[in-house]
Amino acid sequence: MNRPTIWPPMHEPQFLLFASDAELLAVWGGVFLLLAGICSFMERRRTRRAQINRVGWVPWTGLFLTCMVIGGGLLAISVPAMLQG
């Protein structure tokens, strides 16, 4: 009896399969910087809202700073290792 799996098998992209630790840190650093950009956009959108009473509760500035520090730190660690080879 073959039971169907809940999730189909997930295949890892080829560039991540044999990536070094420095490359993986650089990818995660880029993801965090992208997330920081989204947080910055959402904070700008929140401050320019027409109806001031309809402001959300998400601390976009704090999330932006956290993601920026983590992403910058990951890239600062990974780039020298990637340049060495």
Side-chain angles (χ1 to χ4, degrees):
M1 170 185 264
N2 289 337
R3 293 183 185 177
T5 59
I6 294 175
W7 301 105
M10 191 170 161
H11 301 287
E12 197 168 347
Q14 192 68 22
F15 72 94
L16 288 179
L17 190 60
F18 297 108
S20 68
D21 290 339
E23 290 171 341
L24 292 175
L25 283 177
V27 168
W28 278 108
V31 168
F32 272 103
L33 289 180
L34 179 68
L35 188 59
I38 292 170
C39 290
S40 175
F41 170 74
M42 294 303 288
E43 174 66 21
R44 179 172 295 152
R45 191 170 164 238
R46 185 183 72 85
T47 57
R48 295 176 187 236
R49 189 171 304 268
Q51 296 176 349
I52 195 67
N53 293 334
R54 298 194 57 179
V55 175
W57 57 270
V58 179
W60 292 113
T61 305
L63 287 173
F64 165 75
L65 289 173
T66 303
C67 291
M68 188 63 94
V69 167
I70 292 173
L74 289 174
L75 284 178
I77 292 170
S78 66
V79 168
M82 286 177 54
L83 291 177
Q84 286 180 350

